Amino acid sequence: MIVTYTENIKKKINNKPSFFVSNSNEYKKYKNHNRNFFISSCLNHYADSQKMVPLFLTLTCEKHNDNKGLSKNELNNRFNYIRKFLEKNNIINFGIKSLELTKNNIYHLHTVMFCFKEDIEKIREITQSYFKNEINKNELSFQKVRRETNQFVIGYINKIEFNNDIEKQESKLISYSEISFYGIEKIIKEYDRIYKKDFSEIDFERYQRLGILENIKRDLKIHNLIKSKKLFTALAELGAFTKLSKKINSRRWKQQRVNSQEIKKLFSKKLHTRKMPLSPMNERGNQENTYITKKERLNYLSYIPPPISRWKEWFHIQKGKLLNTYFNTIKLMIINTGENYNVIF
């Protein structure tokens, strides 16, 4: 009986090789594609945990339309300038960048950029200032990604296509997206080193004598996390999000400080002195604070420090108690012993 593969394979072009890949370089690109897709999913998970939203940008080369190499350089340079400008304006962003060849044999750039909602319009203005052509200003070039379609967009930019030849029983790579990550620590080389390392025969005593046993244990831990497909934890162990998390926490702390200062202004009159207790809700004529609800007042009061005069009053009371205790102790000693003490009161 002759077995045919036409029933199993509906199309020749697929994103997975159906047969043996003879070219080792093509097989390596396929393995890198799988790694990049998993890391992209981890970035999406991290952004979701930080309440950040994804933007999908498609940037087309405006010059050098007849030169593949120059169009690629132009896109990379302009995108780097955009990111530097965003950093100067304290706009936190990170994401996935993909370079693809068009049918005209020039490059265009896809990127999923994770950011905060309040920064979206600023990012649009800065991007359009560097890409001024109308093709980079339409609705398709700058899109807000819906939460339900995150994985679809990530899969779209992580593109790979194989031509599955049924007659020759071979799979050949025909297109491949050049994926890179920005805004996080560069961990790809370290990831590959640990993933490909063989931990089957480890001489722990030798590594302990060399003083690098802790490093080996760390690598082994990350290796096991990758093998068990706990990639987000593995990336966290590699330090991919360390600096990024510090930036996000610093930004939130600054916003909290600004909010607390505004809250203090809400609860204080313009003509009060530092010695006066702050009780604006009970004072007459303070019409601005009349419309604050009880729930808001309880939340805001946690930001207001106690008045200075109360601290002074508490300190004098405690000081008086200590002095009275001291004098009473000395008087009891005189009465019990009957001796003469020269005590100055």
Side-chain angles (χ1 to χ4, degrees):
M1 181 178 179
I2 300 172
V3 180
T4 58
Y5 294 90
T6 53
E7 294 179 0
N8 298 329
I9 303 168
K10 294 181 180 179
K11 294 181 180 180
K12 286 186 177 181
I13 297 174
N14 200 350
N15 60 352
K16 290 182 180 179
S18 300
F19 307 107
F20 178 73
V21 181
S22 58
N23 191 323
S24 60
N25 189 36
E26 291 181 1
Y27 182 74
K28 183 180 177 181
K29 287 182 177 180
Y30 173 65
K31 298 296 287 184
N32 290 343
H33 161 77
N34 292 334
R35 176 203 63 199
N36 293 336
F37 179 77
F38 289 134
I39 292 176
S40 301
S41 299
C42 291
L43 293 189
N44 181 46
H45 177 71
Y46 176 79
D48 191 44
S49 67
Q50 298 294 331
K51 297 181 180 179
M52 301 177 80
V53 295
L55 296 175
F56 181 57
L57 279 69
T58 302
L59 304 174
T60 306
C61 183
E62 297 176 348
K63 296 179 181 179
H64 312 296
N65 292 335
D66 56 344
N67 192 306
K68 182 172 67 174
L70 291 176
S71 65
K72 180 179 178 180
N73 290 336
E74 184 196 359
L75 285 170
N76 278 324
N77 291 336
R78 290 199 185 189
F79 188 73
N80 289 335
Y81 284 131
I82 289 170
R83 290 212 60 244
K84 285 180 181 178
F85 199 86
L86 292 175
E87 288 180 5
K88 285 182 180 179
N89 286 271
N90 297 320
I91 298 174
I92 298 173
N93 64 94
F94 67 96
I96 314 131
K97 184 176 70 170
S98 168
L99 282 166
E100 294 180 7
L101 275 171
T102 62
K103 293 179 181 179
N104 298 327
N105 205 31
I106 60 169
Y107 279 95
H108 66 176
L109 185 146
H110 291 307
T111 178
V112 175
M113 180 181 288
F114 298 99
C115 64
F116 289 104
K117 274 186 179 180
E118 56 267 26
D119 296 330
I120 290 176
E121 291 306 317
K122 290 181 182 178
I123 294 171
R124 187 199 295 270
E125 291 175 7
I126 293 167
T127 303
Q128 291 182 352
S129 67
Y130 281 93
F131 287 87
K132 299 179 181 179
N133 198 312
E134 289 301 320
I135 198 171
N136 290 309
K137 292 186 177 183
N138 56 28
E139 294 179 357
L140 296 176
S141 62
F142 195 98
Q143 301 178 59
K144 299 175 186 177
V145 181
R146 294 180 181 178
R147 191 172 182 178
E148 296 79 14
T149 59
N150 285 7
Q151 287 298 116
F152 172 77
V153 174
I154 287 170
Y156 177 77
I157 67 170
N158 284 275
K159 198 177 292 181
I160 190 169
E161 290 180 341
F162 284 92
N163 184 7
N164 298 313
D165 195 328
I166 301 170
E167 294 179 358
K168 294 182 179 179
Q169 300 287 295
E170 287 182 355
S171 294
K172 288 188 177 181
L173 184 70
I174 56 175
S175 67
Y176 173 74
S177 298
E178 298 179 26
I179 299 293
S180 60
F181 304 98
Y182 58 90
I184 63 170
E185 289 299 301
K186 296 180 179 179
I187 46 89
I188 297 296
K189 289 184 178 179
E190 188 73 0
Y191 178 98
D192 289 339
R193 180 188 69 81
I194 294 172
Y195 177 68
K196 295 174 183 177
K197 192 171 182 179
D198 185 14
F199 290 91
S200 58
E201 297 179 0
I202 301 175
D203 189 353
F204 288 99
E205 293 182 359
R206 177 173 173 271
Y207 287 128
Q208 190 169 8
R209 288 195 301 271
L210 293 172
I212 57 173
L213 182 60
E214 293 301 320
N215 296 335
I216 298 299
K217 286 182 178 179
R218 171 184 170 272
D219 291 353
L220 179 59
K221 180 182 178 182
I222 295 170
H223 179 81
N224 292 333
L225 287 170
I226 295 171
K227 287 289 185 180
S228 58
K229 295 184 179 181
K230 297 179 180 178
L231 293 181
F232 182 77
T233 310
L235 293 183
E237 289 289 334
L238 284 168
F241 309 112
T242 305
K243 289 185 178 179
L244 182 61
S245 296
K246 287 182 180 178
K247 287 182 181 179
I248 293 171
N249 292 333
S250 176
R251 170 172 169 150
R252 285 175 176 163
W253 174 248
K254 287 178 181 177
Q255 287 178 343
Q256 187 178 5
R257 287 182 64 185
V258 170
N259 291 338
S260 64
Q261 289 173 4
E262 292 176 355
I263 290 164
K264 288 177 185 178
K265 290 179 182 178
L266 264 177
F267 281 86
S268 60
K269 292 186 71 176
K270 293 182 179 180
L271 301 175
H272 78 276
T273 61
R274 292 180 68 85
K275 294 183 179 180
M276 293 174 62
L278 298 175
S279 55
M281 298 305 297
N282 298 327
E283 293 179 3
R284 296 178 181 177
N286 193 1
Q287 297 297 327
E288 293 179 0
N289 300 329
T290 309
Y291 301 101
I292 299 174
T293 64
K294 183 179 179 181
K295 184 177 179 181
E296 289 174 336
R297 185 168 72 251
L298 292 173
N299 291 334
Y300 293 157
L301 284 173
S302 61
Y303 292 92
I304 302 175
I308 295 173
S309 59
R310 293 182 185 176
W311 285 103
K312 286 184 177 180
E313 184 181 350
W314 178 86
F315 177 78
H316 287 304
I317 292 170
Q318 296 298 324
K319 184 177 178 182
K321 288 181 179 179
L322 287 172
L323 288 174
N324 289 334
T325 305
Y326 172 72
F327 291 142
N328 290 333
T329 304
I330 293 174
K331 287 179 181 179
L332 285 170
M333 288 173 62
I334 294 171
I335 294 168
N336 292 334
T337 57
E339 297 179 5
N340 295 325
Y341 290 92
N342 294 324
V343 182
I344 301 172
F345 293 98

